[in-house]
C-alpha cells in the first residue's frame, strides 16, 4: 500500500498527489511512468511521473479526472493509501548532448515535461519552455518551470493569461524571430503533438513526443499501447513512451484512443445511477 503524503488541487479537475514509494523514487528518471490501481479489483492506469525525490522516497503524479478511476483517485485524501503503484516503467527520455532545447507542454501534459526540463537545466542545457492551456486557471507548474528554464512563454486559448492562441502560434513566432533550437520536446494532447510535429518537420527540427495510449499490463504483453512509428509497430510501454514525433502515425493513435469511450461512458452512467444520481 502506498501512502498519499500530499494532495493539491492545481486546476479544475486537475490534482497533484505526492506518494510515498521509495523503490520507485530510487530508480525514476525523467520520461518514465507508473501504473497504479486505486483499490483491489480496480482498473490499472498509467500516469507519467511529474517529480521524484530518491532520498526522501516520494514520487509526484498529476492527473486530470477524466474517467472513473481518476475520479476515484481524486476522492482519496492525504493519509489515505493507493493499492498498487508499479514502476518506474518505460524508457527514460534521452536528454543528454543538446545545446538548446525547446520544451512544449499542453495542459496536463506539462506535468511529465517538468522532470525533463529540470534535468536538462541542471546539466547546463539552455531550455526554453512554452506552456499552453485553455485558460489562466489551467496553467500548471508555472513557478517551478520558470526557475528551471531560460525563457518561459505562455499561451492560453482564450487569452486570459499570456498570449492568446495555441502553443503552435508561439512556436512559429519563436522560430521566425530567429531562435535556434537543436531539439524540441512536445507533450500534451495528441492533436497538439501532431500539429507541433507538422511545423517542426517544415523547419527541420528533430522533435520528440511522449505517447500516452491506453495501457493494460505495461510490460509489452497485451498490445494495448500499440503505436505505429515509421510504419512499424511499437509498444509505448516498453519501446517508449518517447518517440520521434516526425515518424508517429498520430491519426491512428487518435482513433485508438477513442476505442473505449462508449464503454467508459456506460460505466460512468451505471455508477451514477447506482449512487442515486440522474443521467
Ligand atoms: P487541452 O485540450 O487543454 O490543450 C492544451 C493545449 O494544447 C492548448 O492550450 C493548446 O495550446 C494546445 N492545443 C490543443 N489543440 C491544439 C491544436 N489543434 N493545435 C495546436 N495546439 C493545440 O489539454 P488537456 O485537456 O489538459 O489535455 C491534455 C492531454 O494531454 C490529454 O489528452 C492527455 O491524455 C495528454 N497527456 C499526455 C501525456 C503524455 O505523456 N503524452 C501525459 C499527460 C497527459
Ligand atoms: Fe500492454 Fe503496452 S500496455 S503492451
Amino acid at each position: 500500500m502506498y501512502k498519499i503524503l500530499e494532495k493539491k488541487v492545481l486546476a479544475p479537475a486537475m490534482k497533484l498527489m505526492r506518494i510515498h514509494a521509495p523503490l520507485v523514487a530510487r530508480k525514476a528518471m525523467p520520461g518514465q511512468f507508473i501504473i497504479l490501481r486505486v483499490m483491489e479489483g480496480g482498473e490499472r492506469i498509467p500516469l507519467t511521473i511529474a517529480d521524484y525525490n530518491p532520498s526522501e522516497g516520494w514520487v509526484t503524479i498529476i492527473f486530470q479526472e477524466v474517467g472513473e478511476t481518476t475520479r476515484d483517485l481524486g476522492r482519496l485524501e492525504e493519509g489515505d493509501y493507493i493499492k498498487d503503484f508499479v514502476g518506474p516503467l518505460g524508457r527514460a527520455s534521452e536528454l543528454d548532448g543538446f545545446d538548446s532545447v525547446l520544451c512544449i507542454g499542453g495542459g496536463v501534459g506539462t506535468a511529465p515535461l517538468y522532470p525533463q526540463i529540470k534535468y536538462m537545466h541542471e546539466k547546463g542545457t539552455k531550455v526554453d519552455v512554452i506552456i499552453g492551456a485553455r485558460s489562466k486557471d489551467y496553467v500548471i507548474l508555472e513557478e517551478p518551470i520558470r526557475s528551471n528554464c531560460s525563457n518561459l512563454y505562455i499561451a492560453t486559448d482564450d487569452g486570459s493569461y499570456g498570449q492568446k492562441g495555441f502553443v503552435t502560434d508561439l512556436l512559429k513566432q519563436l522560430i521566425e524571430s530567429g531562435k535556434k533550437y537543436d531539439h524540441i520536446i512536445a507533450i500534451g494532447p495528441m492533436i497538439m503533438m501532431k500539429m507541433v510535429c507538422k511545423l517542426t518537420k517544415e523547419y527541420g527540427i528533430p522533435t520528440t513526443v511522449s505517447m500516452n495510449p491506453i495501457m493494460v499490463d505495461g510490460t509489452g504483453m497485451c498490445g494495448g499501447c500499440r503505436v505505429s512509428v515509421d510504419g512499424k509497430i511499437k509498444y509505448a510501454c516498453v519501446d517508449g513512451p518517447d518517440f520521434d514525433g516526425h515518424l508517429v502515425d498520430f491519426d491512428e493513435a487518435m482513433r485508438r484512443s477513442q476505442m473505449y469511450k462508449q464503454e467508459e461512458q456506460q460505466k460512468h452512467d451505471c455508477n451514477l445511477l447506482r449512487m442515486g444520481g440522474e443521467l
Side-chain angles (χ1 to χ4, degrees):
M1 299 283 272
Y2 298 84
K3 191 173 185 179
I4 301 168
L5 303 173
E6 184 187 3
K7 176 187 177 184
K8 264 199 247 174
V9 177
L10 295 185
M14 207 190 286
K15 290 178 179 156
L16 172 151
M17 281 181 181
R18 197 157 53 82
I19 312 293
H20 183 245
L23 294 180
V24 183
R26 203 179 299 157
K27 292 198 171 163
M29 291 292 288
Q32 293 188 294
F33 64 94
I34 55 96
I35 287 188
L36 63 76
R37 256 189 338 158
V38 177
M39 59 193 92
E40 188 67 53
E43 181 194 19
R44 295 155 60 88
I45 54 159
L47 288 171
T48 336
I49 293 171
D51 203 358
Y52 52 91
N53 185 318
S55 55
E56 293 177 13
W58 52 258
V59 169
T60 301
I61 50 172
I62 293 178
F63 57 96
Q64 224 171 4
E65 295 178 349
V66 284
E68 283 303 303
T69 304
T70 43
R71 275 189 282 267
D72 287 342
L73 182 61
R75 279 191 279 270
L76 297 182
E77 299 296 342
E78 278 175 21
D80 289 343
Y81 289 84
I82 292 172
K83 177 78 180 90
D84 296 322
F85 196 85
V86 179
L89 299 168
R91 297 159 77 106
S93 303
E94 289 174 19
L95 303 170
D96 295 317
F98 302 127
D99 290 325
S100 178
V101 175
L102 176 65
C103 293
I104 306 177
V108 72
T110 308
L113 206 51
Y114 174 58
Q116 307 196 21
I117 294 168
K118 200 160 85 169
Y119 177 94
M120 289 188 285
H121 182 71
E122 281 166 6
K123 295 262 169 177
T125 306
K126 184 180 174 299
V127 188
D128 281 359
V129 180
I130 298 176
I131 298 179
R134 269 173 254 173
S135 68
K136 187 171 193 285
D137 289 347
Y138 290 86
V139 175
I140 59 165
L141 303 177
E142 180 181 352
E143 283 323 311
I145 288 178
R146 195 182 293 285
S147 2
N148 281 283
C149 72
S150 302
N151 296 292
L152 172 63
Y153 308 91
I154 296 178
T156 50
D157 303 1
D158 65 358
S160 54
Y161 194 50
Q163 176 170 315
K164 185 176 191 322
F166 284 164
V167 292
T168 38
D169 299 320
L170 273 172
L171 167 64
K172 208 167 174 183
Q173 282 166 25
L174 289 177
I175 308 286
E176 290 184 353
S177 72
K179 287 265 191 184
K180 296 271 182 275
Y181 299 108
D182 49 19
H183 203 86
I184 290 183
I185 300 171
I187 311 184
M190 215 87 84
I191 184 68
M192 180 203 95
M193 296 193 286
K194 176 182 168 175
M195 301 317 279
V196 165
C197 290
K198 192 164 172 273
L199 263 181
T200 59
K201 200 168 184 180
E202 283 168 25
Y203 293 118
I205 310 172
T207 303
T208 301
V209 296
S210 173
M211 299 302 282
N212 188 29
I214 293 162
M215 286 193 191
V216 183
D217 63 332
T219 61
M221 305 287 283
C222 72
C225 66
R226 199 182 78 210
V227 185
S228 295
V229 182
D230 199 17
K232 299 181 191 74
I233 291 177
K234 298 282 176 189
Y235 298 103
C237 66
V238 286
D239 301 318
D242 289 1
F243 293 105
D244 178 340
H246 295 164
L247 302 178
V248 169
D249 184 338
F250 285 107
D251 294 332
E252 181 196 69
M254 285 190 275
R255 277 196 304 276
R256 286 182 61 78
S257 72
Q258 296 301 313
M259 261 180 354
Y260 299 107
K261 280 279 173 260
Q262 206 180 338
E263 285 82 351
E264 256 179 37
Q265 188 59 45
Q266 278 167 356
K267 188 169 174 223
H268 175 62
D269 293 348
C270 287
N271 286 347
L272 194 70
L273 290 172
R274 211 172 42 222
M275 281 160 31
E278 285 181 21
L279 292 181

